[in-house]
Structure formats: structure tokens, C-alpha cells
Amino acid sequence: MQAAAAPARRVRLGVQLAPQHAQYGTIRDTLAAIEDLGVDIAFNWDHFFPLSGDRNGAHFESWTMLAAWAEQTSRIQFGALVNCNSYRNADLQADMARTVDHISARGGDSGRFIFGTGSGWFERDYEEYGYEFGTAGSRLNALSGALPRIRARWGRLNPPPTRDIPVLIGGAGEQKTLRIVAEHADIWHSFSAPAVLEHKLGVLGDWCGQVGRDRSEIEVSVEVKARSHSDADELHALGATLFTLGISGPDYDLAPVRDWLAWRDEKNSAL
């Protein structure tokens, strides 16, 4: 008897609240608003300075904010898009993630934290906060070495995480990043256009074959801020099911969030 096909993944929408150019109260209120609207995942980012606009403008730190989000919210999943592996010891990252995950648990439910991570790239963060910038290759090697330590620490913590914390890895480099994704990720995030995504998925599939992983186990995440619904339709047809939208302070415009939620719901109504 042939096994039943796995159910199709539902389309999810993630909104990245860039923690820049806004007072924290505005960020708090916007998080509450997108949870009420039905957004699936809220993200911030792990930088120390704004990435656009006034580069010395208002900005807040990622992990302390995520702990507040864990307490503030009750349904929405959340995490950083993405944590910078360079800024914290691997075992400390594991402990922080476990703690934030527990803070977010409600009643008998599991936590809602997503451990999004990457190798880092913003040189100003490194220089001003005293981290060694190294090279793209050395930072990727450090990420590859950190992820097994993080999982091992999760297995030794008391209490352990509330569940297997999903690991999201961002990046699209074919020689190192996609191998790391194949080995460790539950979700792979990229900014790829449809033609590029098709190629990258082939590369990821090759890496999965080499490490003994089923590529379908890895959810595909893409950014839609500068894309049309038609673009998103193409990305979805290729297998993307998590679509992320970045919005920034000082005022967080929720009109595009509502638009993409309607698109998400239309896709899911066909399942």
C-alpha cells in the first residue's frame, strides 16, 4: 500500500519589525497590532545600529527585546531575522533561546520562539562593540561549529527547552551556507527572486543528499517587501511557504501587512 502524501504546508506570514528610528512603546504597540491581525511570526534583527535612514538614529538590542516579546504575546511565534552568531558564545545563545522559549509558553502549551541565526555581516557592529570581524569564510566556519554546541547545550539544560526549538538559517552561499542549512536548519531564509530560488533549491537538495537529509523537511522562507503578489505566486509554486515582510520605524505602516495577510489567506483557502 502506498503511503499517503504529506500534507501541504500552510503559507505563513512573518513581519520583521526593524528596531530602528522608533520609541520602544511604538514597537510594543505594533507587535500587539500584528498579533491581533493574525500574523504568524514577528521578527526583529540582531544589529546595534540602524541599517537605513540616519545611521546614528534610535535603535534597540535584539535579545532583550525578544524576552519582552515572549512575555507580551500569547499566540504569535517570534525570533530574530537573524541572530548574529559572532556576538555571543554558542552555549550562552542556547541558554538564552531556551529561557526566552520558556517565557513564551502559556499554560500547557509549548513555547513559541524561533532561533533564527546567521554568520553576521555588518562590520560597524563588530568594530564598535569590539568583536573580531574576520572574513565571510571564518564567520561561516564559526556558525557551523556553533550549531552543534547549541543543540548539545539544549540537551543538557535543566529544564530543557519546551520543545525542539526550530532553527532558521539565513543566507544563500552555495559552498558553505547551504551546506550548513542542510545539516542544521528547519527553515531556510533567503532574498532570492524566483529564478534564483529555483537554482538555490537545487543546490540545497544536493547538499541534503550528501548529508542524508530530506530537503522537504526544510521550510523555505523568502522576503516579499519589494515583490508583487505575482512574484510571490511564483515563489510559492517553487515551494516557499514562509513569506516575510520588513517594516520600519518611526511609524510602522500596517497597510502592506494587511495586504499580504489577505494574499496568505487566499493561498491557504485552496488547501
Side-chain angles (χ1 to χ4, degrees), residues 15 17 19 24 27 31 41-46 60-73 76-84 88 96-97 99-104 106 112-116:
V15 173
L17 304 180
Y24 186 72
I27 297 173
L31 175 64
I41 307 171
F43 293 110
N44 64 13
W45 66 35
D46 190 17
F60 291 97
E61 191 275 329
S62 173
W63 276 90
T64 45
M65 182 183 296
L66 292 173
W69 287 11
E71 194 66 74
Q72 175 186 346
T73 59
I76 198 168
Q77 295 187 340
F78 64 97
L81 190 65
V82 289
N83 167 71
C84 178
R88 303 160 193 91
M96 293 166 70
T99 299
V100 170
D101 193 56
H102 273 269
I103 294 169
S104 70
R106 297 289 181 272
R112 294 169 284 114
F113 181 69
I114 293 174
F115 183 64

Side-chain angles (χ1 to χ4, degrees), residues 18-179:
Q20 60 179 12
H21 308 308
Q23 297 303 307
Y24 186 72
T26 303
I27 297 173
R28 180 194 299 117
D29 293 346
T30 305
L31 175 64
I34 66 170
E35 181 171 45
D36 289 345
L37 286 172
V39 168
D40 297 287
I41 307 171
F43 293 110
N44 64 13
W45 66 35
D46 190 17
H47 295 290
F48 305 130
F49 301 95
L51 298 184
S52 62
D54 179 0
R55 298 308 173 97
N56 292 309
H59 195 278
F60 291 97
E61 191 275 329
S62 173
W63 276 90
T64 45
M65 182 183 296
L66 292 173
W69 287 11
E71 194 66 74
Q72 175 186 346
T73 59
S74 60
R75 181 200 60 80
I76 198 168
Q77 295 187 340
F78 64 97
L81 190 65
V82 289
N83 167 71
C84 178
N85 177 68
S86 304
Y87 301 159
R88 303 160 193 91
N89 170 280
D91 294 86
L92 175 61
Q93 292 178 59
D95 204 341
M96 293 166 70
R98 179 280 309 254
T99 299
V100 170
D101 193 56
H102 273 269
I103 294 169
S104 70
R106 297 289 181 272
D109 294 335
S110 297
R112 294 169 284 114
F113 181 69
I114 293 174
F115 183 64
T117 194
S119 59
W121 63 272
F122 191 39
E123 190 169 4
R124 183 184 180 188
D125 284 348
Y126 287 80
E127 290 180 347
E128 296 218 25
Y129 278 62
Y131 298 107
E132 181 180 351
F133 189 55
T135 65
S138 69
R139 294 192 300 275
L140 281 165
N141 290 340
L143 177 65
S144 181
L147 285 162
R149 285 179 56 189
I150 288 166
R151 289 196 183 277
R153 179 59 59 185
W154 282 340
R156 295 195 295 271
L157 288 168
N158 182 18
T162 67
R163 86 270 200 237
D164 290 334
I165 296 176
V167 174
L168 178 155
I169 296 175
E174 297 181 12
Q175 297 304 310
K176 288 188 176 183
T177 303
L178 291 181
R179 174 182 58 79

Side-chain angles (χ1 to χ4, degrees), residues 181-241:
V181 170
E183 292 175 334
H184 299 289
D186 300 291
I187 307 168
W188 168 53
H189 180 77
S190 82
F191 293 84
S192 300
V196 176
L197 181 66
E198 186 172 18
H199 169 71
K200 297 291 184 180
L201 286 171
V203 175
L204 178 58
D206 290 342
W207 278 119
C208 285
Q210 291 188 44
V211 303
R213 185 97 185 271
D214 184 343
R215 213 284 294 160
S216 66
E217 296 174 1
I218 303 171
E219 185 174 15
V220 178
S221 169
V222 291
E223 169 67 36
V224 295
K225 182 177 182 180
R227 304 197 189 282
S228 67
H229 287 186
S230 178
D231 294 332
D233 289 340
E234 291 186 61
L235 293 164
H236 181 248
L238 290 168
T241 55

Side-chain angles (χ1 to χ4, degrees), residues 7-12 236 241 264-271:
R9 292 182 189 271
R10 294 183 64 80
V11 173
R12 302 196 291 168
H236 181 248
T241 55
R264 177 202 68 181
D265 293 345
E266 180 180 356
K267 288 295 180 188
N268 287 335
S269 68
L271 295 180

